[in-house]
Amino acid sequence: MLAGWKLAPALAAGNCVLLKPAPQTPLTALALADLASDYLPSGVLSVLPGGSQIGQRILEGVDKASFTGSTKAGQLIMQQQAQRLIPLTLECGGKNPVIVLKDADIEEAAGHVALGAFSNAGQNCCAVSRVLIHQSIHDKFVDAVKNEMDKIDYGPVIDKNQYNHVQSYLQQVNSNKHGNEPTYIGAPPPTLQQLQHETKDGYFIPATLFTDVSDDAPIATEEIFGPVLSILKPFDDIESAIQRANNSPYGLAAGVFGKNQRQTHHVASRLHTGYVWVNTYNLMPPYNPFGGRKLSGIGKDLGQAALDEFTFVKSIVTGLY
């Protein structure tokens, strides 16, 4: 899907494309190139699997780069391309907030939040990762999310490195290394022995919910990229909720739930993210531009804006004789 987000506008704008998939997932990109070979002239689309060294070499000879991945990798790409001032589209990490107002439909909102947090094992750049709930409905909403967690089926995280990365956050909370310990809901936090155990059927991590999380806790500020959801301490003032949601170096996506449309759109307009859902989550019409701000990236995928990313405006002035 993400490869399609890049390829479609790039090819439609008349470009030849070098596609380097993530080293963990090369097969779908290769299969896509095989299918496209029946329709595209030779050399228009090339897929080059490999690691970071392949990516660095590709960047040395292109006129435009579009990347989806971690913020750290995006920063390295931006540093490299700064030498030639090559235009970039960077869709990087996120720590995406959801604000649940006091008049929200609790069951409906909880379903969207749980699916947004735990589908694809939380390996989604715009996954719900921190939730602010009005104090008047806080306990009911937490119970509703817990009920929804049991309904979601998902697979393992992508590999052992990611498994260890996610589990390290759970282990940190379990050992209480970072101040006030939040409430843990889910399977018991792993022991060190469990962390070293490779599962036979994949690197599965149970859906994990933390409540009463401080805004500055690592699980509330750092991108985990796994099935871990932090419910922050409740709010009673909308403006403070907006301020807390914006208090992040990331700015990719956010959600707002409530029945008062004027209020929800006021909140949506104040959130410092590139994409905001109101009373839904992860609904992505292909004509809506998608992209973040701050450490979540620059530029847009999807829509007319994506076509613009792969074009260059050139002015030609001809004198009349």
Side-chain angles (χ1 to χ4, degrees):
M1 182 185 75
L2 294 181
W5 285 13
K6 312 290 189 182
L7 289 177
L11 294 172
N15 298 284
C16 294
V17 179
L18 293 173
L19 173 63
K20 193 200 85 63
Q24 301 91 339
T25 57
L27 297 182
T28 53
L30 290 169
L32 179 62
D34 184 54
L35 292 171
S37 65
D38 292 335
Y39 305 95
L40 297 177
S42 176
V44 172
L45 171 60
S46 300
V47 176
L48 300 175
S52 59
Q53 290 183 336
I54 298 295
Q56 290 171 1
R57 293 299 301 271
I58 290 175
L59 291 172
E60 293 173 0
V62 298
D63 296 322
K64 159 74 182 182
S66 183
F67 168 78
T68 294
S70 71
T71 295
K72 182 178 180 180
Q75 290 170 324
L76 292 174
I77 291 171
M78 195 171 191
Q79 290 172 7
Q80 180 177 347
Q81 295 302 83
Q83 302 301 316
R84 295 194 299 131
L85 296 182
I86 297 301
L88 295 174
T89 301
L90 299 175
E91 197 271 278
C92 300
K95 196 65 182 174
N96 311 295
V98 163
I99 295 177
V100 184
L101 304 175
K102 63 181 179 181
D103 64 343
D105 183 318
I106 292 177
E107 299 298 327
E108 183 75 13
H112 285 293
V113 166
L115 192 61
F118 301 118
S119 61
N120 201 36
Q123 299 167 112
N124 180 356
C125 56
C126 54
V128 181
S129 54
R130 52 196 178 107
V131 184
L132 296 105
I133 310 165
H134 192 274
Q135 62 180 8
S136 64
I137 62 169
H138 177 271
D139 292 349
K140 290 183 179 179
F141 189 84
V142 171
D143 289 339
V145 172
K146 289 164 56 180
N147 291 334
E148 292 294 329
M149 289 167 61
D150 296 331
K151 303 176 184 179
I152 300 173
D153 293 322
Y154 59 85
V157 295
I158 188 66
D159 58 19
K160 183 178 180 179
N161 288 337
Q162 187 60 25
Y163 177 84
N164 290 338
H165 173 76
V166 176
Q167 293 286 29
S168 69
Y169 283 92
L170 305 184
Q171 192 66 31
Q172 284 175 3
V173 175
N174 190 32
S175 59
N176 198 21
K177 293 180 180 178
H178 297 282
N180 295 329
E181 185 174 356
T183 302
Y184 185 99
I185 300 173
T191 64
L192 289 176
Q193 183 178 6
Q194 289 172 324
L195 287 176
Q196 298 169 357
H197 175 67
E198 294 186 20
T199 61
K200 294 180 179 179
D201 299 321
Y203 294 101
F204 287 89
I205 298 175
T208 302
L209 174 67
F210 291 102
T211 64
D212 197 35
V213 177
S214 299
D215 289 12
D216 60 353
I219 57 173
T221 59
E222 301 173 12
E223 186 180 38
I224 299 175
F225 216 65
V228 180
L229 176 63
S230 295
I231 293 185
L232 307 185
K233 297 180 184 299
F235 70 89
D236 60 3
D237 174 70
I238 293 177
E239 294 304 314
S240 69
I242 295 172
Q243 182 179 13
R244 291 168 63 192
N246 287 334
N247 186 26
S248 171
Y250 298 102
L252 185 56
V256 185
F257 290 88
K259 295 178 181 177
N260 185 320
Q261 288 191 4
R262 177 175 294 182
Q263 198 169 67
T264 56
H265 283 273
H266 166 74
V267 174
S269 68
R270 297 279 307 283
L271 291 171
H272 297 169
T273 62
Y275 212 96
V276 182
W277 287 281
V278 176
N279 291 325
T280 187
Y281 206 87
N282 270 346
L283 176 64
M284 303 188 73
Y287 45 79
N288 274 5
F290 176 80
R293 56 191 296 185
K294 300 190 281 188
L295 290 184
S296 290
I298 55 176
K300 298 292 183 181
D301 290 319
L302 301 179
Q304 177 65 46
L307 282 170
D308 295 340
E309 294 281 346
F310 290 98
T311 60
F312 175 78
V313 177
K314 180 179 181 178
S315 298
I316 299 176
V317 178
T318 302
L320 300 178
Y321 296 97

